[in-house]
Amino acid sequence: MIAKLDTRARAIGGLLLVSLGGWILHSYLGLLAWAVVLAIATWPLYEKLRDTERSEQPTAWLALALTVAFALIILGPVIYGVLRLIYEAQALGHVLTSAQNSGVAAPEWLSTLPWVGAKAKTLWENALGTPAAARETLHWLQTGSAISYIKELASQILHRFFGILITLLALFFVYRDGARLGSQILESSRKLFGDIGIRYAIHATEAVRATVNGLVLVGLGEGVLLGFGYAVVGLGQPAMLGALTGVL
């Protein structure tokens, strides 16, 4: 009787601890899940590199190297895009400031746009065509809803940036301890569901890997095709824009 009560108390205590941990980490569960998904998708590459090093155990250095590689692939184009956006915003601010003195005439190509050219030229002239219009537009940008929108956009970018950092940090630990964690998951599946539990876990892993790899291939294809499109229409640095499109 005492043994049964002790077992139940342990089970209840374990359940409470798991529930408390889940409640504390609930806002990070999505980020941790992304780290696991990325590790599953790239685990064959990790094992190949580990075998190349002729090491039976995963090393922290290899885990760190792959994590840094992911950081460069994901954050590199994004950081570049944000920096370009800041630069363009500053250039726009200079244009609006100088426009208060003499206005800014609409570019010639604007009126040649099909269907919307005439309307676009009219909107430009109403916003920047005269010094008075330019001053009104600048005042709206400084005091209107545009400032709130920019602050919200900056907040979202910063939030996503820290989310990516947390995912990369979790990815490092999944790489480093993934082999032991995978063995424990398979053993738990076997104890709970028998041999069929192991088959389900393996099939789920293969499904996740196939889905992620398919999405990556689609993203790469879109980046390449849209990169050519950016070049055709004459946008600057089409290769970098194509890479950023693929990552997004």
Side-chain angles (χ1 to χ4, degrees), residues 162-230:
F162 282 109
I164 293 175
L165 290 183
I166 293 174
T167 299
L168 292 173
L169 179 63
L171 180 62
F172 165 76
F173 289 104
V174 174
Y175 275 141
R176 193 190 66 176
D177 303 316
R180 183 170 66 252
L181 180 61
S183 299
Q184 292 175 354
I185 291 175
L186 290 178
E187 181 63 22
S188 300
S189 299
R190 187 188 63 80
K191 290 180 179 180
L192 290 174
F193 307 106
D195 293 338
I196 193 172
I198 296 179
R199 292 200 297 271
Y200 280 150
I202 294 175
H203 289 324
T205 301
E206 293 175 348
V208 169
R209 185 175 296 130
T211 301
V212 173
N213 292 341
L215 290 174
V216 169
L217 290 176
V218 170
L220 290 176
E222 291 178 346
V224 171
L225 292 177
L226 288 175
F228 281 113
Y230 297 146

Side-chain angles (χ1 to χ4, degrees), residues 26-99:
H26 73 279
S27 59
Y28 300 97
L29 292 179
L31 303 176
L32 298 179
W34 270 114
V36 173
V37 168
L38 289 174
I40 290 175
T42 57
W43 194 256
L45 173 63
Y46 179 75
E47 287 187 325
K48 185 176 180 179
L49 294 175
R50 187 185 63 188
D51 294 339
T52 302
E53 291 185 351
R54 298 179 180 179
S55 175
E56 295 181 357
Q57 299 295 330
T59 63
W61 286 110
L62 179 57
L64 179 61
L66 276 180
T67 304
V68 171
F70 262 109
L72 293 176
I73 293 172
I74 297 174
L75 294 178
V78 173
I79 292 175
Y80 174 81
V82 171
L83 292 177
R84 290 297 302 179
L85 181 62
I86 294 174
Y87 173 79
E88 297 296 341
Q90 291 176 344
L92 177 60
H94 292 313
V95 170
L96 291 175
T97 302
S98 61

